[in-house]
Amino acid sequence: IILAVLVLLGIINTVGMSIYERTLEIGTCRALGDRQSDVLGQFFYEGIVLFVVSLLVAFPASLGLAHLIN
């Protein structure tokens, strides 16, 4: 449970910092006429892409490394 909470807090921190650092980009998109749902969708799809890439790259790498260590 503690590990799950730490992972969740790390994810929340990463997403929060991503949004904080990209406020100018968000403002530019909104000024160009993008709806709020469009901007949120961009963050959503970016998160999905990052998740899939990490699942396809980091997960097998961590399994292979754990196999080598054991």
Side-chain angles (χ1 to χ4, degrees), residues 53-70:
V53 168
S54 67
L55 188 65
L56 294 175
V57 174
F59 184 68
S62 65
L63 288 179
L65 187 61
H67 182 64
L68 283 173
I69 292 172
N70 285 332

Side-chain angles (χ1 to χ4, degrees), residues 3-58:
L3 182 61
V5 169
L6 289 175
V7 168
L8 182 64
L9 289 174
I11 291 170
I12 290 171
N13 183 41
T14 302
V15 171
M17 288 306 296
S18 174
I19 293 171
Y20 177 73
E21 291 173 352
R22 295 170 68 184
T23 53
L24 292 176
E25 179 183 341
I26 293 169
T28 302
C29 289
R30 295 285 287 148
L32 290 173
D34 286 350
R35 294 185 313 254
Q36 184 176 0
S37 61
D38 294 336
V39 176
L40 289 174
Q42 290 175 357
F43 280 102
F44 179 73
Y45 291 127
E46 180 181 333
I48 288 175
V49 168
L50 289 174
F51 170 73
V52 169
V53 168
S54 67
L55 188 65
L56 294 175
V57 174

